[in-house]
């Protein structure tokens, strides 16, 4: 008879081994007799099984510790990489786990380096694009202000040139009308003067003729009275004495009336001449003043027209420049939009700092797992279990 002694290997708990227990006993439970011999029909086979079970128990303990650590850290850090490694480690032989961990560490270090390079590239390119956008925004603001200024100047010049053109036209029309009126007045004055001079000359001739007639008639009458005395003197009276000498008494009134008419003509001549002189003086003054004003307005119109042409050209150039810089601004904005998916984390995505922090925590867990493996399952020197 044998006394069964059940011994449990330390650290196994109630967990099973890798499946080497073919007889259904719990891994780590072994039966010994009172003399220390194994109660089996085949002593050599029983000892061999015991040694295999002891080796399996010792080998599975570090593996289970590593797998448990990886699963715990995967849950804590919400790490898919650690979770996948834990599952792979639980299925692979213990000897492969160290290689898996080292491969993942190298992969993460490479990802960290790639992220750093990508982050640097993003910072550079985003900086360039933002600087370009800011530069073009500033240019657009300045150019837009210049466009507004030129539009205001152009508007004022258009009003100014229109008013000056109207003024020039009005001055020319006034001068043209005044010139036409002056020519008409000059002709009227000339006709009136000629008519008055003709009337004066006619009256003068009439006065001269009458004076000669009455003077001659008076002289003849006087001569006849002195030289013709004879039988005829005894003839009956014919009603007048001596030769006919004209109506000398009435001649004074007629000549006086003609001389008065002559004076009227002389007055008309003087008035026509004075009117012509005054009108000519007034017209000359008006013409001189108008021409001076017209010259000034024409010069101002020429200058304003030139300024308007220059401003119109500058405005066209400014508008083109504004469009060009707007295109550059749009290009800068488009560059930023293209960079955002690769360089700017969305609200639901991790930032570069967060990814780096998570990666460092994952690397720390992997190094701890590697340490446990290197220490044969002892985690006392490998950080927190």
């Amino acid at each position: 008879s044998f006394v069964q002694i059940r011994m449990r290997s330390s650290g196994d708990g109630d967990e099973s081994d890798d499946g080497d227990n073919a007889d259904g006993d719990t891994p780590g439970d072994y039966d010994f007799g009172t003399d220390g011999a194994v109660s089996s029909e085949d002593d050599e086979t029983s000892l061999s099984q015991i040694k295999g079970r002891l080796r399996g128990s010792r080998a599975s303990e570090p593996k289970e510790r590593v797998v448990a650590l990886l699963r715990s850290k995967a849950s804590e850090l919400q790490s898919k990489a650690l979770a996948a490694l834990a599952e792979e480690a639980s299925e692979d032989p213990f000897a492969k786990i160290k290689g898996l961990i080292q491969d993942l560490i190298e992969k993460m270090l490479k990802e960290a380096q790639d992220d750093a390079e990508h982050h640097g590239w993003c910072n550079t390119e985003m900086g360039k694009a933002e600087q370009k956008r800011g530069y073009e925004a500033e240019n657009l603001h300045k150019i837009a202000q210049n466009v507004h200024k030129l539009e205001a100047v152009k508007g004022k010049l258009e009003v100014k040139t229109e008013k000056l053109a109207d003024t020039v036209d009005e001055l020319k029309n006034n001068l043209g009308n005044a010139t036409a009126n002056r020519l008409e007045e000059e002709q009227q004055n000339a006709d009136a003067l000629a008519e008055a001079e003709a009337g004066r000359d006619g009256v003068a001739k009439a006065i001269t003729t009458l004076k000669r007639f009455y003077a001659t008639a008076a002289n003849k009458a006087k001569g006849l009275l002195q030289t013709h005395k004879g039988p005829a003197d005894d003839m009956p009276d014919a009603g007048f004495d001596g030769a006919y000498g004209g109506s000398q008494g009435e001649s004074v009134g007629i000549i006086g009336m003609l001389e008065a008419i002559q004076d009227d003509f002389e007055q008309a001549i003087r008035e026509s001449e004075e009117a012509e002189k005054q009108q000519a003086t007034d017209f000359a003054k008006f013409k001189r003043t108008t021409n001076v004003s017209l010259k000034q307005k024409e010069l101002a119109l020429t200058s304003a027209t030139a300024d308007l042409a220059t401003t119109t050209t500058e405005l066209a150039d400014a508008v083109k420049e504004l469009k060009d810089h707007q295109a550059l601004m749009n290009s800068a904005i488009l560059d930023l939009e293209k960079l955002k998916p690769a360089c700017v984390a969305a609200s639901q995505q991790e930032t570069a700092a967060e990814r780096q922090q998570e990666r460092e925590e994952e690397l720390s867990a992997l190094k701890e797992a590697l340490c446990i493996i290197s220490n044969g399952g002892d985690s006392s020197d490998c950080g927190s279990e």
Side-chain angles (χ1 to χ4, degrees), residues 5 25 81 137 231:
I5 302 174
D25 290 341

Side-chain angles (χ1 to χ4, degrees), residues 59-86:
S60 65
E61 182 179 355
K63 174 181 176 180
E64 292 172 357
R65 284 178 176 271
V66 170
V67 171
L69 173 66
L70 292 175
R71 285 175 175 169
S72 174
K73 291 296 184 180
S75 176
E76 176 185 343
L77 301 176
Q78 296 294 308
S79 171
K80 293 182 180 180
L82 293 181
L85 179 61

Side-chain angles (χ1 to χ4, degrees), residues 203-318:
V203 171
K205 288 180 180 180
I207 291 173
T208 300
T209 300
L210 286 174
K211 284 183 176 180
R212 186 181 299 119
F213 168 77
Y214 282 115
T216 301
N219 289 333
K220 285 182 178 181
K222 184 177 179 181
L224 288 172
L225 290 174
Q226 293 177 353
T227 59
H228 294 285
K229 290 284 188 178
D233 293 336
D234 296 331
M235 294 180 66
D237 188 1
F240 54 84
D241 296 328
Y244 179 71
S247 180
Q248 295 294 325
E250 294 181 0
S251 66
V252 175
I254 293 173
I255 293 174
M257 183 180 64
L258 290 176
E259 287 178 343
I261 294 173
Q262 184 180 28
D263 289 341
D264 290 339
F265 282 124
E266 290 288 352
Q267 179 67 26
I269 291 171
R270 286 193 300 272
E271 289 177 354
S272 296
E273 290 175 342
E274 290 176 357
E276 172 62 20
K277 182 178 179 181
Q278 184 63 45
Q279 289 169 357
T281 300
D282 292 343
F283 174 74
K285 182 179 179 181
F286 171 79
K287 183 178 180 180
R288 182 173 59 255
T289 303
T290 302
N291 281 331
V292 170
S293 180
L294 182 60
K295 186 66 174 178
Q296 292 175 344
K297 299 301 181 183
E298 286 176 337
L299 288 175
L301 178 59
T302 300
S303 178
T305 302
D307 290 343
L308 178 58
T310 300
T311 302
T312 301
T313 301
E314 291 177 353
L315 179 59
D317 293 341

Side-chain angles (χ1 to χ4, degrees), residues 5 69 86 105-106 119 175 241 344 368 377:
I5 302 174
L69 173 66
I105 289 175
E106 291 177 1
H119 184 65
L175 183 58
D241 296 328
V344 179
E368 184 177 349

Side-chain angles (χ1 to χ4, degrees), residues 314-361:
E314 291 177 353
L315 179 59
D317 293 341
V319 170
K320 182 180 181 301
E321 186 180 12
L322 184 66
K323 291 180 179 179
D324 292 341
H325 281 274
Q326 183 63 59
L328 293 174
M329 178 70 169
N330 293 340
S331 175
I333 294 174
L334 183 61
D335 289 344
L336 280 173
E337 292 300 320
K338 289 180 179 179
L339 288 170
K340 280 182 178 181
C343 297
V344 179
S347 59
Q348 69 273 17
Q349 295 175 333
E350 298 175 327
T351 65
E354 289 173 343
R355 287 196 302 272
Q356 179 63 20
Q357 178 65 28
E358 290 176 359
R359 188 180 292 111
E360 289 177 357
E361 292 175 348

Side-chain angles (χ1 to χ4, degrees), residues 97-116:
I97 297 177
K98 184 175 181 179
L100 293 173
I101 294 174
Q102 288 176 334
D103 289 344
L104 185 55
I105 289 175
E106 291 177 1
K107 179 182 178 182
M108 287 187 173
L109 290 175
K110 180 65 168 58
E111 288 178 353
Q113 181 180 356
D114 292 343
D115 278 358

